[in-house]
Amino acid sequence: MAKYSRVSGSVGLITLQNPPVNALSAAVRQGIVDTVERALSDPKVKSVVICGQNGIFCGGADIKEFGSNMSGPPLVPMIHAIEAANKPVVAAIEGSALGGGLELALGCHYRIAHSKARLGLPEVTLGLLPAAGGTQRLPRLIGVPAALDLITTGRHVTAAEALQLGVVDQVTDHSTVDAAVKFAQSVAGKPLDARRISTYPCPRPSDLDALFEGVMEKVRQSARGAIAPVACVQAVRAAATQPYTQGMEREKELMATLFTSGQARALQYCFFAQRAVSRWSMPNGARWDTSKPRPVHKAAVIGLGTMGRGITVALAQTGLSVIAVETQEKQLMEAKQAVSGMLERGAKRRGVAPALDRISYSRDIQAVADVDLVIEAVFEDMGLKKKVFQQLASICRPGTFLCTNTSALDVDHLASQTHNPELVVGMHFFAPAHVMKLLEVVYGPRSSPQAVATAMQLGKKMGKISVAVGNCPGFVGNRMLKPYMEQAFFLLEEGATPELVDRALEEFGFPMGVFRMSDLSGLDVGWRVRKGDGLSEPGAPSGQPARIRQGRRYSPLGDLLCEQGRFGQKTGRGWYQYNKPGSRVARSDPWLHSFLEGYRARHGLVARRIDNQEVLERCLYALINEGFRILEDGIAAGPEDIDMIYVFGYGWPRHRGGPMFYAGMVGLGKVLERLEHYHQAHPDVPYLKPCSLLWRLVASGSPPLHKWREVIKKLHSQL
Ligand SMILES: C[C@H](O)[C@H](C)C(=O)SCCNC(=O)CCNC(=O)[C@H](O)C(C)(C)COP(=O)([O-])OP(=O)([O-])OC[C@H]1O[C@@H](n2cnc3c(N)ncnc32)[C@H](O)[C@@H]1OP(=O)([O-])[O-]
C-alpha cells in the first residue's frame, strides 16, 4: 500500500505502507504505480517525495512472495516510470533502503538520507542479485569498483559512506521527509535529464578485464561454491561493457538462473530461520512471548582465560558495566591487556569510543555480590565449576542469574550446587566469544522461563544469534559433532587421508575440513573429552589399542596422535605438519600417511578407494541423524534451531541452509536409505542407525521442513 498526499502546496508525498519494513509486496508496488501516476497528473504538484512509514524507507522486495507466483506490477517498469517522470522525484531515506528499496531510490532523481540510515544491495545474501536495475544503475552512479564491492558483499553502508560514494545527494540529522520536501521544492522545474542514472555512461576503468578477473577470482574463493556472487560480477560486467538496455537483459537472465536455485532457497530459509530462533519455546510450554526477561544492568565474568576475555568484551560492548574476576594475578594482568586491546580494535572498526571504563577487574570473587547476572568461564572441569557455583550461590544477592559457559558439562548438575537452580542456565559462547555470532542458551529441567528469557535477551543485545536448547551432553552443536568426527576417523581407518576428507568437506562449502579444524582447535581438546567419557584409555591384550569400546566401534587414531604430542597447530604437528608451532598453513605430512598405513596393517585393515560422495554421506548424514535424535528428544524445538547453530557456530555453508534443511533438499528418503546402507556395513556404529523420527517423517511422505514440528509434536504426545 502507498498513501498519497500533497504537502507544502506543490509537493506530492508518497508514503510506503507495509509494516514492519515496507517491503515491496504486490500491493505496495500497485500503490506506488497508482500514486506516482496521480502525482504526475496533478497540476498543482511540481515535484514528488517518496518516503516510508514508521521511519524506515524500504526493506526491498517482499521475500515472503518469492515462494509463490509473483503478482502485481513488476519492479523494473515501475522504477523506469519514476526515472522517466517529468517532475523531480526525491527519495527520503530513513532507517533502511535495501535491495529493491535502494533500487527504487536509484530510480528517483535525488536521494536525501537521514544520518542514521543504512543503505545496501544485500540480494547476494539471499542467493540473488539486484534485479530491479541495481547492477546497471549503481555502477553508472558510483563507478564499477565501488558497485562491485557493495553488490558482491551485500554489505550495508552508513549514510555518511553513501554520501561519500555518491549514492545519496544529502544527509540530514533532522526530519528526512521535511528536508526532502524542502529539497523537492528547490528543484521543481529544473531539467532532469542529467538525473536519470540509466542514461549515464558507465565509467570504464582502464584495466577493465584485469579488474573483473581479479574480483571474480576473489569472489570465487570466498564464495566456497555459492553461485550468486559470481552472477553479481557477471551482471556488473554487463553494465561496464554494454548499453543499459542490453545490461538490463543480462541482469534479468542471470537473476533467472538464481531465483529458483536451491542455494537461493537455502539462503532465504536462513534469513527467516535466523529470526525464527528468537521465538524460542521449551518442552514445558514456556515461550518467548509469555516469559518476561529481567533487565541486566551489571554483569560479571568469572575466569579470564580465552573465553572469559571474549565474553567480557562482548558484554562491555553492549554498554553494560562488567566485573571481570580472575584469581591468578599474572592471568589477571594479561587479561586486562588483552581485553583492552580487543575493545580498542573493535571500537576503531566501528568508529566509536572503546568501552574501557565499563569494566572493573578483581581477584576477589566477593566483588560480584551485587550484579544481576554472572557468567562462569573457568577451566572446563566439573570439580572446579561446582566449587565456583557453590561460592556464587553464597555470595550473590537473591535473584542473581548464574550462567555457565561450559561447552558440554551438565548444567543441571551445576544448578544443584545452588539453592536456586531456577536461576541457572548455560550460555555457551564460541571462540572467539566477541566475534562468533552463535550463543547456545542451555536450559535445565529446573531453569525458569525468566532465566532463559533474560539470557536470550542479553544474547540479542550482544548481537548474537541466540538459540535456546535443552541440557544434554554436548547440547546441540557438540553433540552432533561427535558422529561427524567419528565417521571422519573411521574413513581414515578404511583408506582415506585427512587431505581427501577435508577436500570433500571444503568443496561442499565448509571453510575448513574436520582435520584442519581439529588441528586449529587442538587435538588435545577432544582427547580430554574422550578421556572424560572413559573412552580413550584401555588397550587390547595384544597391546594394540582396542577398536571396540563401550560395545561400539571406536577409533583410537586421535588418541595415538595425542600420545605422541601431536596436538595440531599449537605443536606444529597434528593431522598435518606446520612450519613451526602456532603457524596456520597446513602441509601434508608423509609421517602421518605412513603412520596410517602402519596402523591399518597392525589392525588387519585393508585400505580401499573412498570418494567424496562417501565422505559427505557418512560425515554429514551421521551428523544429521543425530540432529533428528535431538529433535526427537526435544532438546531443540525445531529444525531451524539446529540449522542456525551449525551455520553460525560450526561453519556449515549458509548456501546449503543447515544440516536439517540440507536433509530436506537431498530428500529424507535418500538420507534414510544411505544411513541404512552404511549401518548395514557398520552395525557396530550406532550413530549410523537411522533415528525413528527420520523413519516417521519418511513414512508420512517426507513433509516439508516447516511441517516437521507437527510430526515431532504428535511423536511427543504419543510418548
Ligand atoms: C528485486 C530486488 O533486487 C531483490 C530481489 C530484493 O529486494 S531481495 C530483498 C532484499 N532486502 C533485504 O535483504 C533486506 C532484508 N531485511 C533486513 O535486512 C532487515 O529486516 C532490516 C530491513 C535491516 C530490518 O532489520 P530489523 O532487525 O529491524 O528487523 P527484522 O527482524 O530483520 O525484520 C522484521 C520483520 O520483517 C521481516 N522482513 C524484513 N525484511 C523483509 C523483506 N525484504 N521481505 C519480507 N519480510 C521482511 C522479517 O522477516 C521480520 O519478520 P518477523 O520475524 O518479525 O516475522
Side-chain angles (χ1 to χ4, degrees):
M1 297 54 75
K3 190 181 74 184
Y4 178 75
S5 53
R6 187 154 50 79
V7 295
S8 305
S10 66
V11 177
L13 180 62
I14 295 173
T15 307
L16 309 185
Q17 299 179 313
N18 184 16
V21 298
N22 299 324
L24 296 165
S25 63
V28 171
R29 297 195 305 272
Q30 189 60 58
I32 294 172
V33 169
D34 299 345
T35 49
V36 167
E37 230 164 72
R38 191 163 165 202
L40 297 182
S41 57
D42 182 340
K44 292 197 183 76
V45 167
K46 305 303 179 208
S47 52
V48 183
V49 168
I50 300 181
C51 68
Q53 194 182 31
N54 304 336
I56 183 167
F57 182 69
C58 177
D62 188 338
I63 306 167
K64 292 195 179 88
E65 286 185 348
F66 292 171
S68 58
N69 298 336
M70 303 278 278
S71 62
L75 269 175
V76 170
M78 178 191 91
I79 295 173
H80 269 144
I82 292 169
E83 188 182 58
N86 56 5
K87 299 176 182 178
V89 182
V90 180
I93 299 171
E94 289 172 314
S96 303
L98 299 170
L102 179 55
E103 290 171 298
L104 170 63
L106 291 175
C108 298
H109 306 112
Y110 300 93
R111 286 153 293 282
I112 312 289
H114 187 274
S115 53
K116 290 206 174 77
R118 288 276 183 280
L119 302 86
L121 294 175
E123 284 85 345
V124 71
T125 65
L126 298 167
L128 306 171
L129 55 75
T135 67
Q136 304 306 305
R137 285 195 175 87
L138 194 65
R140 283 174 165 77
L141 184 64
I142 68 173
V144 168
L148 274 171
D149 165 40
L150 291 191
I151 293 172
T152 57
T153 61
R155 71 184 179 88
H156 301 181
V157 295
T158 62
E161 186 180 355
L163 183 66
Q164 182 249 327
L165 286 170
V167 177
V168 299
D169 304 289
Q170 213 179 76
V171 170
T172 175
D173 290 324
H174 310 294
S175 158
T176 317
V177 175
D178 294 352
V181 167
K182 203 150 149 271
F183 186 92
Q185 288 176 305
S186 71
V187 293
K190 292 220 174 116
L192 289 173
D193 286 349
R195 303 300 305 180
R196 306 186 206 282
I197 300 173
S198 65
T199 64
Y200 294 7
C202 184
R204 278 179 69 93
S206 53
D207 56 353
L208 191 78
D209 291 341
L211 169 77
F212 275 98
E213 271 145 37
V215 170
M216 188 62 96
E217 185 44 40
K218 211 172 102 220
V219 158
R220 283 192 195 285
Q221 257 170 21
S222 58
R224 289 190 275 117
I227 57 177
V230 174
C232 286
V233 177
Q234 293 163 331
V236 175
R237 187 180 181 96
T241 57
Q242 298 176 38
Y244 176 78
T245 314
Q246 278 88 331
M248 284 299 285
E249 278 309 311
R250 182 73 175 130
E251 177 186 281
K252 191 172 173 192
E253 199 181 284
L254 289 162
M255 177 63 158
T257 63
L258 300 176
F259 197 71
T260 53
S261 68
Q263 292 194 5
R265 281 175 45 207
L267 288 159
Q268 287 153 34
Y269 161 77
C270 284
F271 177 84
F272 290 115
Q274 190 178 323
R275 287 151 180 82
V277 293
S278 62
R279 295 190 278 271
W280 56 274
S281 61
M282 294 161 71
N284 62 13
R287 298 162 41 92
W288 64 284
D289 51 358
T290 56
S291 315
K292 205 166 169 341
R294 210 182 324 127
V296 175
H297 304 297
K298 209 170 178 182
V301 179
I302 312 295
L304 298 181
T306 310
M307 292 307 290
R309 294 169 191 185
I311 296 168
T312 302
V313 170
L315 287 169
Q317 286 174 337
T318 67
L320 279 177
S321 52
V322 184
I323 300 178
V325 177
E326 172 54 61
T327 51
Q328 310 303 315
E329 178 60 29
K330 182 166 172 297
Q331 178 95 325
L332 182 65
M333 299 322 290
E334 288 168 2
K336 255 190 192 168
Q337 228 175 349
V339 167
S340 306
M342 287 191 266
L343 279 172
E344 277 149 4
R345 286 191 296 279
K348 197 151 170 253
R349 261 195 314 278
R350 298 198 322 273
V352 296
L356 299 171
D357 60 349
R358 312 288 328 146
I359 307 171
S360 55
Y361 297 88
S362 171
R363 291 186 54 204
D364 181 358
I365 195 166
Q366 291 290 339
V368 307
D370 186 34
V371 300
D372 304 307
L373 181 143
V374 181
I375 302 178
E376 163 277 312
V378 300
F379 187 70
E380 191 76 344
D381 171 76
M382 183 52 102
L384 177 60
K385 288 184 185 287
K386 282 166 71 172
K387 199 161 134 274
V388 171
F389 267 73
Q390 288 155 6
Q391 286 178 298
L392 292 172
S394 61
I395 291 166
C396 293
R397 62 175 157 77
T400 301
F401 294 111
L402 303 181
C403 311
T404 171
N405 177 54
T406 179
S407 58
L409 299 175
D410 183 343
V411 171
D412 195 50
H413 190 45
L414 287 172
S416 312
Q417 311 310 310
T418 75
H419 316 304
N420 302 90
E422 74 280 6
L423 297 173
V424 175
V425 288
M427 288 184 79
H428 177 207
F429 291 80
F430 290 75
H434 64 299
V435 176
M436 288 293 282
K437 291 279 277 179
L438 180 64
L439 175 69
E440 277 184 324
V441 171
V442 184
Y443 55 80
R446 296 175 287 174
S447 301
S448 68
Q450 189 176 47
V452 176
T454 305
M456 290 292 284
Q457 186 183 62
L458 182 57
K460 185 162 185 182
K461 203 169 175 183
M462 288 190 271
K464 303 293 183 194
I465 304 294
S466 307
V467 183
V469 299
N471 179 41
C472 69
F475 315 136
V476 169
N478 289 343
R479 177 174 161 180
M480 290 168 71
L481 204 60
K482 254 181 148 176
Y484 171 80
M485 302 274 304
E486 186 185 71
Q487 284 304 311
F489 283 10
F490 293 160
L491 286 161
L492 293 188
E493 292 190 338
E494 295 161 36
T497 62
E499 293 83 352
L500 178 137
V501 173
D502 282 354
R503 202 170 28 252
L505 294 168
E506 287 160 19
E507 281 169 11
F508 178 81
F510 280 97
M512 260 190 191
V514 61
F515 293 109
R516 282 203 311 133
M517 179 55 84
S518 175
D519 274 359
L520 172 67
S521 48
L523 279 72
D524 51 329
V525 177
W527 195 29
R528 235 193 341 269
V529 173
R530 291 191 296 277
K531 280 186 179 161
D533 297 345
L535 273 168
S536 80
E537 288 322 326
S542 63
Q544 291 305 331
R547 295 185 46 247
I548 294 290
R549 310 250 172 119
Q550 296 170 356
R552 52 202 295 162
R553 181 176 166 186
Y554 179 80
S555 171
L557 280 170
D559 305 340
L560 293 169
L561 261 63
C562 287
E563 283 157 16
Q564 299 175 50
R566 296 178 70 100
F567 295 159
Q569 287 182 3
K570 62 178 107 177
T571 57
R573 293 275 182 284
W575 297 106
Y576 296 89
Q577 58 177 330
Y578 301 82
N579 289 346
K580 59 182 181 2
S583 89
R584 294 176 173 274
V585 182
R587 287 181 298 113
S588 290
D589 188 342
W591 178 92
L592 197 273
H593 293 168
S594 54
F595 162 77
L596 285 175
E597 280 151 23
Y599 171 91
R600 294 183 194 117
R602 285 193 300 280
H603 288 276
L605 299 165
V606 180
R608 60 181 175 81
R609 187 180 161 284
I610 292 172
D611 62 14
N612 283 9
Q613 186 180 345
E614 179 173 358
V615 170
L616 291 180
E617 289 186 346
R618 286 177 61 177
C619 290
L620 303 184
Y621 293 175
L623 177 144
I624 288 166
N625 196 31
E626 192 61 20
F628 281 113
R629 286 202 178 86
I630 283 171
L631 291 173
E632 196 170 68
D633 297 350
I635 295 293
E640 299 85 353
D641 301 280
I642 294 176
D643 287 340
M644 291 307 98
I645 285 172
Y646 261 76
V647 166
F648 286 101
Y650 293 81
W652 184 282
R654 207 180 157 94
H655 62 268
R656 304 255 188 199
M660 309 321 282
F661 180 90
Y662 177 69
M665 287 288 269
V666 168
L668 299 184
K670 166 96 184 287
V671 174
L672 176 60
E673 180 268 322
R674 297 310 291 161
L675 279 169
E676 275 213 291
H677 164 77
Y678 290 120
H679 190 233
Q680 263 149 32
H682 308 282
D684 53 356
V685 181
Y687 276 133
L688 290 173
K689 185 174 184 328
C691 156
S692 59
L693 173 60
L694 178 55
W695 279 106
R696 186 180 281 255
L697 284 164
V698 172
S700 48
S702 298
L705 194 130
H706 65 271
K707 290 257 171 38
W708 292 5
R709 285 174 189 249
E710 287 160 34
V711 178
I712 296 165
K713 218 190 206 139
K714 218 182 284 157
L715 181 76
H716 288 164
S717 62
Q718 288 157 357
L719 286 176

